[in-house]
Amino acid sequence: MQTNLVQQFANTTEGQEAEAILRACVHCGFCTATCPTYQELNDERDGPRGRIYLMKMFLEGAEVTEKTREHLDRCLTCRSCETTCPSGVKYGRLLDISRDLIDKELPRPPKEKWKRWALARVVPNRVLFGYLLKLGQTFAPLLPAKLRAKVPPKKQASPWPAASHNRIVLALAGCVQPSATPNTNAAAARVLNKLGITMVEAPEAGCCGAVNYHLSEHEKGLERMRQNIDAWWPAIESGAEALIMTASGCGAMVQDYGHLLRNDPVYASKAARVSEICTDLGAFLLEQNLESLRVQSSSGKVAFHCPCTLQHAMKQNGVVEQVLTKAGINLAITKDKHLCCGSAGTYSVLQPELSQKLLGNKLKALMVDNPDRIVTANAGCQMHLETKSRVPVQHWIELLDPQ
């Protein structure tokens, strides 16, 4: 694709990166076949190819309008298009750059700006989010039906193992997971303990930075990344062999620390090392001897939902399924595995109607084989799916840690 960026963007690091991404696109349209919003709305501007043209026009000096932003905001950033693209277009990165620049050029309306500001302050704040969640759970019966459905039920964590081993791995507690799905990391620690591996969390590590970064608060997102690197670094220097991600949404962000901080004189090399040892829990387990993890499955038939961040961003499609099969779990048949459930970070709040349509489509695809439960690999997907699922929804690692 030929480009001619205006001087305003052409001489910036972000503009040059965006231009390189644009030039890789051959506008073949393969991406539209796997784009959830294009399939739902049948509008070229609500598919990757159309959005790429909108971003190109903006970067080349065309007037940006609310209509342009509306089509970009409807994008889930699921990155299914990246998996499909034969030219390797880094669409998600292009969207992050363009959204940030557009928000600076065209300020959002006050109500919209306030909603995004509130999300960026509440969700990444582990303590505040946990307090508000407990409040919502306590008064759930008094809430309107739509809001009540979004409040996840109270969950308890199993005890962390007391044993300590020579092999050490790091884990990220994150911001939402400790209060919304608290058993995820506890179950992961117990499973790894059976393999002679100790999993530890760095208390000072918080939100991975994804919420701020994807809401066009790039500097705040980068600040959170630096704080996490500082929190993890002593353990990394002491020999931690991996940084295990139990939430693929966080994993997709952390694996990009090296790229996003590549020009930081203080953190560039550390960020590169963090990204190097970052791995999804499923990928890590697949490299281990799993004989001790075989379970006498009492969970019945299980449908696995592979989050977009796991299959399209982390490129780990099919990995968790291999682990579950080796462990003796009976996997159900599902359809349209590449399509998003509609959670997509803050998308379910900012684009509720479209998010609900995508949720309905995903649940229908997951239930074709009448599974007894649904499992997934990301807290956001888990919470979103269970709002309408007629069967239990949990993190897949819990199946390998029967209580």
Side-chain angles (χ1 to χ4, degrees):
M1 181 182 286
Q2 292 184 337
T3 57
N4 185 25
L5 269 62
V6 293
Q7 202 72 14
Q8 177 185 358
F9 304 127
N11 294 328
T12 66
T13 302
E14 291 79 9
Q16 290 166 5
E17 185 179 3
E19 186 170 37
I21 297 171
L22 286 169
R23 287 183 175 179
C25 178
V26 297
H27 34 100
C28 62
F30 286 1
C31 54
T32 59
T34 57
C35 174
T37 53
Y38 179 80
Q39 297 301 314
E40 190 66 38
L41 301 171
N42 294 308
D43 188 326
E44 177 75 10
R45 296 165 299 177
D46 287 311
R49 182 172 61 181
R51 291 182 178 123
I52 284 173
Y53 272 104
L54 291 174
M55 290 184 277
K56 177 178 181 291
M57 291 169 62
F58 162 68
L59 293 168
E60 291 182 333
E63 181 185 2
V64 65
T65 66
E66 288 292 350
K67 194 66 178 175
T68 299
R69 184 155 57 198
E70 179 183 20
H71 292 298
L72 297 184
D73 282 350
R74 283 178 183 165
C75 177
L76 295 143
T77 325
C78 70
R79 295 168 66 175
S80 179
C81 54
E82 292 187 18
T83 299
T84 312
C85 179
S87 303
V89 174
K90 297 177 181 177
Y91 172 85
R93 184 70 191 126
L94 177 65
L95 189 66
D96 275 338
I97 293 170
S98 300
R99 279 174 167 169
D100 182 50
L101 293 174
I102 288 173
D103 278 357
K104 290 173 181 174
E105 289 288 310
L106 182 68
R108 292 179 179 272
K111 183 178 179 181
E112 192 176 334
K113 188 183 294 185
W114 180 88
K115 183 186 291 187
R116 296 167 73 87
W117 180 90
L119 284 170
R121 298 300 170 282
V122 173
V123 177
N125 187 320
R126 185 188 306 167
V127 175
L128 180 57
F129 180 87
Y131 172 76
L132 293 175
L133 177 59
K134 285 182 180 179
L135 204 62
Q137 290 168 335
T138 301
F139 295 100
L142 304 178
L143 297 175
K146 285 187 177 181
L147 183 56
R148 185 168 63 246
K150 291 183 179 295
V151 179
K154 292 181 180 179
K155 297 180 177 70
Q156 297 295 323
S158 56
W160 277 57
S164 181
H165 307 280
N166 290 330
R167 295 183 66 187
I168 306 290
V169 295
L170 276 166
L172 175 64
C175 45
V176 170
Q177 192 165 273
S179 51
T181 59
N183 194 46
T184 298
N185 274 12
R190 290 165 61 89
V191 168
L192 289 168
N193 181 63
K194 294 178 186 177
L195 301 176
I197 302 169
T198 299
M199 188 179 98
V200 297
E201 295 175 345
E204 299 84 3
C207 177
C208 66
V211 174
N212 295 101
Y213 201 86
H214 294 318
L215 288 175
S216 298
E217 292 188 356
H218 285 193
E219 283 307 314
K220 184 63 178 176
L222 294 173
E223 180 185 328
R224 292 190 183 280
M225 295 175 203
R226 295 184 187 101
Q227 290 171 353
N228 287 342
I229 292 171
D230 287 339
W232 292 325
W233 201 247
I236 294 173
E237 284 191 310
S238 297
E241 63 181 271
L243 174 56
I244 303 292
M245 291 291 134
T246 55
S248 61
C250 299
M253 185 89 270
V254 175
Q255 74 173 10
D256 283 344
Y257 277 20
H259 177 75
L260 296 173
L261 290 168
R262 67 194 184 281
N263 296 319
D264 189 305
V266 177
Y267 286 89
S269 61
K270 291 182 178 181
R273 178 60 180 158
V274 165
S275 292
E276 182 185 2
I277 66 170
C278 172
T279 183
D280 179 70
L281 175 62
F284 183 81
L285 286 178
L286 195 59
E287 295 178 351
Q288 315 303 316
N289 184 342
L290 302 181
E291 285 300 316
S292 63
L293 297 186
R294 286 194 64 84
V295 296
Q296 296 297 322
S297 180
S298 59
S299 52
K301 196 184 297 183
V302 176
F304 176 64
H305 164 62
C306 190
C308 300
T309 43
L310 187 61
Q311 61 177 313
H312 304 308
M314 299 191 79
K315 308 298 183 187
Q316 297 292 320
N317 192 26
V319 172
V320 171
E321 292 95 318
Q322 292 181 60
V323 174
L324 292 177
T325 299
K326 286 187 175 185
I329 302 298
N330 181 18
L331 289 177
I333 297 168
T334 62
K335 292 173 59 179
D336 296 329
K337 296 181 181 182
H338 64 286
L339 293 181
C340 183
C341 69
S343 173
T346 57
Y347 191 91
S348 61
V349 177
L350 297 174
Q351 300 287 333
E353 291 183 12
L354 194 49
S355 173
Q356 287 299 304
K357 288 181 181 178
L358 297 172
L359 173 60
N361 294 343
K362 176 52 70 174
L363 284 172
K364 185 177 179 181
L366 288 170
M367 295 300 293
V368 292
D369 199 19
N370 296 312
D372 297 289
R373 67 186 59 239
I374 295 169
V375 295
T376 187
N378 188 51
C381 299
Q382 181 178 338
M383 294 164 62
H384 191 55
L385 289 167
E386 70 183 355
T387 61
K388 282 195 171 180
S389 176
R390 63 176 187 268
V391 298
V393 183
Q394 60 189 139
H395 194 285
W396 65 267
I397 195 62
E398 296 178 84
L399 299 180
L400 307 189
D401 179 45
Q403 296 297 301

